[in-house]
Amino acid sequence: MFKEKCLYLADERQTVEIGRRIGKQLAGGLTIFLEGQLGAGKTTLTRGILQSFGHSGSVKSPTYTLVEPYEHFETPVYHFDLYRLGDPEELEYMGIREYFDEGSICLVEWPERGLEYLPEPDVVLELNPKKSDTGEVGRQLTITTITENGDGVLTHWND
């Protein structure tokens, strides 16, 4: 069931473009973990995903609010950033379970800070700094599908 694809992304533009491409493969009911160090490009990738749904505004990381809802899409998308989560139990108080249903897509940055209150991911998108063959620093995106529902993210990937 686990499938994996690695891609080198040279810059922010490519990160957004791959996000758009991933977003076009998403359907309701998916939980996606975004992993990588601070500044790795998780929010930039999220911007591309949201653009694939028609979002044209800015995308901020909901570091202080924990969740940024995008409920105006046909499939609601919720962007979580758990970086500043003080206690994982806070997720229970905010009604975290209500966001994760078959009709929504949940994108979670820093999921390790709230694992005991989060469902298992369908897809993990991991970004890490990586040097190109010419020595320029970009990002490596590793897409790992965990569930059968998550496999759809890689179904139509030809390269």
Side-chain angles (χ1 to χ4, degrees), residues 4-143:
E4 190 171 276
K5 180 157 190 72
C6 293
L7 302 163
Y8 177 76
L9 309 173
D11 54 26
E12 182 177 339
R13 182 191 60 75
Q14 284 187 349
T15 304
V16 170
E17 186 54 42
I18 287 298
R20 283 189 203 121
R21 192 168 173 188
I22 291 168
K24 289 178 183 178
Q25 305 302 318
L26 301 181
L30 290 177
T31 298
I32 301 167
F33 286 2
L34 296 128
E35 299 179 347
Q37 65 189 39
L38 196 60
K42 298 179 293 293
T43 301
T44 302
L45 188 64
T46 297
R47 182 179 349 131
I49 291 170
L50 291 169
Q51 286 177 1
S52 76
F53 286 89
H55 183 72
S56 59
S58 64
V59 174
K60 61 182 172 138
S61 189
T63 305
Y64 292 100
T65 59
L66 297 182
V67 63
E68 186 69 33
Y70 297 88
E71 297 174 312
H72 56 284
F73 303 135
E74 184 176 325
T75 302
V77 179
Y78 299 99
H79 177 203
F80 295 87
D81 184 334
L82 306 183
Y83 183 72
R84 296 202 187 278
L85 185 67
D87 181 340
E89 196 169 10
E90 291 176 45
L91 296 174
E92 193 67 37
Y93 298 135
M94 71 179 269
I96 189 89
R97 297 177 204 281
E98 294 174 23
Y99 294 97
F100 294 86
D101 65 34
E102 69 238 11
S104 65
I105 296 169
C106 293
L107 307 168
V108 185
E109 294 187 40
W110 301 97
E112 65 275 10
R113 297 183 185 234
L115 281 179
E116 58 265 32
Y117 294 94
L118 297 172
E120 290 294 317
D122 297 291
V123 179
V124 175
L125 303 175
E126 183 179 358
L127 288 157
N128 290 297
K130 182 173 180 176
K131 285 188 179 182
S132 70
D133 294 339
T134 60
E136 294 181 48
V137 177
R139 303 171 174 118
Q140 176 172 301
L141 170 63
T142 303
I143 304 168

